[in-house]
Amino acid sequence: MQPGNITSSYLARYQHLTGGATEPGGTPLPVTGAQRRFLLARRLDPAGRPVLVPLFFAFPAGTVDAERLRAAAGHLAALHPALRTRTLVRRGVPLQVPGVPAGHVERVRPRPGESASDALLRALAEWPADGPPLRFFLADDASADGGPREVLAVVLDHTACDEQSLGLITAGLSDAYRDGLGPQDVPADVAADGTAAYADAVHRQLAAEERASRPEALAYWEKRLAGLRGRAAPDGGGTGTGGRTGTALRRIPVAGDGARSTAFPVLLDACAGAARALHGADSVPVLGYPWGGRPLGAAPVLGCFLNTVVHPADDTGVAERASAWWDDLDRADTPFDEVVHAARRAGAPWSGRLDGLLTFEDLGRRPPLRLGDATGREIHFDGRPLQAPFAVSVSYGSDLLVRMAWDRAAVPDHRAEAAFASLTGSLSEALDTRTAQPVPTP
């Protein structure tokens, strides 16, 4: 082990604490660097809220059989240990412990004056710490044309999933629901193999993070982030909405797969411009974006194996930014908390809180959710808590769906709307005119 870095110190404490001990559900596992970050975010949140990943699907009214869905969820949890683990902190050491597979399906009824989206978001806000990391919430609703429908929220604790996991979940649920399977239909040897594969992936991920925390990698991040300048408070003040979010959306056509593959570095540059517009032209705000997959040699298990990569939103041009981004990817496994410490050693006035967040999802990796004879149509609800003053999410399939949300208590609407218009305008122009070599997608 490399002495002196956070990952090696954590592993040493984990090994000293566990020493081969077991819990009722099985042997405790260490947590990955991403899981450490999400657990810390929960502790720092005044309400103790976990970071959640919700997907919303509209189905025709009366389509979803709640008991069949509950059984299918239990089947999925029996196959994938990440969906039946609970996280805990023992003597200051975060752990994850396997539990019994279970399915949680809850019908949410709007209170007087609430819409279906209000009711579902309330259910997310009231998410109790105990219980499975995958849960389902159903609410009756009316479609845009006034017809009845029901909305299914598929919600995961982020400590149990990443973007690559979502496709495994929609595909696995569709199959188990179709075949009427439950947890009892997973043979013991298959469940044991899944547990072993998950444990192997977790340890491989931590080994990769430990290698990426060597002194030369930390020196790189010190130099990379030395120029951070404290963000200014967005002028104009907020609207005093008590945490409510504002949103904007635009679809941008792309000219084939070649143009689509150039989207991320162009988008990163556009988001950097938006961050400076929101936080002050003289500041260098900090953007974060998830990157990663399964560690080399690991099975394609479901779990949380991404890392949040830090990007300084300075005023360099798109070509310089793309070049620096390539260099960043060579150190993308360095855990977020290690990067925060490196920035502080460089004297950067950064607390570790992100000034903006960017996510990029390839819809080709996620099969549609099909329950019986009905295929869910994915929809989006506004109003969820944000992990940063603003967040940009992009989903790409036949086009780019660009969404921006902002905390209206921190960012005034007119500034956010102007920044979004500039961001999407720059992105649309660049994708229409730019010819670039294909780059990796997160």
Side-chain angles (χ1 to χ4, degrees):
M1 293 189 298
Q2 296 295 319
N5 66 61
I6 294 172
T7 303
S8 61
S9 297
Y10 166 70
L11 285 172
R13 289 161 54 215
Y14 159 77
Q15 292 163 358
H16 177 74
L17 177 66
T18 57
T22 62
E23 297 285 335
T27 302
L29 291 173
V31 297
T32 66
Q35 289 174 313
R36 285 204 311 269
R37 176 174 178 252
F38 292 132
L39 291 172
L40 178 60
R42 180 184 301 187
R43 291 181 61 187
L44 293 177
D45 186 277
R49 295 170 299 193
V51 179
L52 301 178
V53 180
L55 302 173
F56 300 97
F57 298 94
F59 287 90
T63 296
V64 180
D65 182 328
E67 288 305 315
R68 195 178 186 92
L69 180 62
R70 184 176 289 109
H75 182 81
L76 206 61
L79 288 172
H80 298 286
L83 298 182
R84 51 183 167 85
T85 60
R86 59 188 176 94
T87 55
L88 54 90
V89 178
R90 177 164 298 158
R91 283 189 261 166
V93 181
L95 303 169
Q96 51 182 327
V97 179
V100 177
H104 178 104
V105 181
E106 179 180 341
R107 185 165 287 277
V108 179
R109 305 191 185 279
R111 295 170 179 169
E114 276 189 336
S115 64
S117 62
D118 291 335
L120 289 169
L121 293 175
R122 171 170 51 82
L124 267 62
E126 295 171 351
W127 179 286
D130 295 333
L134 169 64
R135 306 178 201 183
F136 301 86
F137 301 93
L138 268 171
D140 295 327
D141 192 22
S143 64
D145 60 8
R149 68 179 183 179
E150 52 189 344
V151 177
L152 174 65
V154 181
V155 191
L156 291 113
D157 190 312
H158 215 330
T159 59
C161 82
D162 53 21
E163 191 254 343
Q164 290 191 30
S165 298
L166 299 180
L168 295 172
I169 289 168
T170 55
L173 279 175
S174 298
D175 292 346
Y177 188 97
R178 179 197 62 211
D179 297 335
L181 301 177
Q184 71 281 356
D185 297 305
V186 178
D189 59 334
V190 173
D193 288 346
T195 299
Y198 179 67
D200 176 70
V202 168
H203 286 290
R204 285 177 184 268
Q205 177 68 24
L206 284 162
E209 292 173 4
E210 192 172 29
R211 290 192 298 272
S213 300
R214 289 173 175 163
E216 56 268 28
L218 301 182
Y220 171 85
W221 286 111
E222 285 187 38
K223 183 177 180 181
R224 181 82 168 98
L225 302 177
L228 293 179
R229 294 193 296 275
R231 66 180 177 87
D235 41 320
T239 56
T241 53
R244 297 293 292 178
T245 58
T247 58
L249 176 151
R250 181 179 171 187
R251 289 188 178 275
I252 299 176
V254 291
D257 289 342
R260 185 173 65 192
S261 68
T262 70
F264 190 80
V266 174
L267 178 61
L268 190 60
D269 185 65
C271 283
R276 291 194 306 278
L278 291 174
H279 295 301
D282 292 334
S283 67
V284 179
V286 185
L287 297 176
Y289 60 88
W291 197 273
R294 302 301 174 266
L296 185 64
V301 297
L302 188 153
C304 184
F305 298 95
L306 52 76
N307 188 36
T308 300
V309 183
V310 172
H311 185 83
D314 53 25
D315 58 359
T316 57
V318 63
E320 295 164 299
R321 189 178 307 283
S323 176
W325 175 70
W326 274 106
D327 291 337
D328 291 349
L329 292 190
D330 288 336
R331 291 93 175 168
D333 284 335
T334 307
F336 182 84
D337 45 12
E338 292 278 19
V339 175
V340 174
H341 281 233
R344 291 174 180 169
R345 284 193 297 271
W350 182 36
S351 68
R353 294 187 181 274
L354 296 172
D355 300 316
L357 187 62
L358 169 61
T359 60
F360 198 61
E361 181 186 12
D362 179 358
L363 295 179
R365 294 176 178 174
R366 177 150 57 87
L369 177 61
R370 187 170 180 83
L371 300 182
D373 295 328
T375 299
R377 179 174 60 85
E378 187 170 0
I379 57 178
H380 300 277
F381 287 148
D382 302 326
R384 294 192 294 117
L386 301 177
Q387 300 175 59
F390 80 99
V392 175
S393 62
V394 176
S395 302
Y396 70 91
S398 58
D399 61 7
L400 295 182
L401 173 61
V402 185
R403 292 167 51 83
M404 179 168 137
W406 60 93
D407 180 354
R408 298 177 70 196
V411 177
D413 287 348
H414 70 280
R415 292 287 301 277
E417 289 162 359
F420 181 73
S422 175
L423 184 155
T424 53
S426 298
L427 183 60
S428 181
E429 179 182 0
L431 290 178
D432 186 54
T433 60
R434 170 182 280 273
T435 301
Q437 295 298 314
V439 296
T441 53

